[in-house]
Coordinates of all heavy atoms in Angstrom, one line a residue:
N521 N 8.0 17.8 2.0 CA 8.7 18.1 3.2 C 8.9 16.8 4.1 O 9.5 16.9 5.2 CB 8.1 19.2 4.0 CG 8.3 20.5 3.3 OD1 9.3 20.8 2.6 ND2 7.2 21.4 3.3
G559 N 31.2 6.1 5.8 CA 32.5 6.2 6.4 C 33.4 7.2 5.7 O 32.8 8.1 5.0
K708 N 34.3 -0.9 -32.4 CA 35.7 -1.2 -32.0 C 36.7 -0.2 -32.6 O 37.7 0.1 -31.9 CB 36.0 -2.6 -32.3 CG 35.4 -3.6 -31.3 CD 35.9 -5.0 -31.6 CE 35.1 -6.0 -30.8 NZ 35.4 -7.4 -31.3
D753 N 11.9 7.1 -17.0 CA 12.6 7.0 -18.3 C 13.9 6.1 -18.2 O 14.8 6.3 -18.9 CB 13.0 8.4 -18.8 CG 11.8 9.0 -19.5 OD1 11.1 8.3 -20.2 OD2 11.5 10.2 -19.3
A933 N 55.9 18.2 -30.1 CA 56.5 18.3 -31.4 C 57.4 17.1 -31.7 O 57.5 16.6 -32.8 CB 57.2 19.6 -31.6
R944 N 46.2 20.2 -19.3 CA 45.3 21.1 -18.6 C 45.8 22.6 -18.7 O 45.1 23.5 -19.0 CB 45.1 20.7 -17.2 CG 44.0 21.4 -16.4 CD 43.8 20.8 -15.0 NE 43.0 21.7 -14.3 CZ 41.6 21.7 -14.3 NH1 41.0 20.8 -15.0 NH2 41.0 22.6 -13.6

Side-chain angles (χ1 to χ4, degrees):
N521 291 323
K708 283 185 187 165
D753 279 318
R944 193 175 165 86

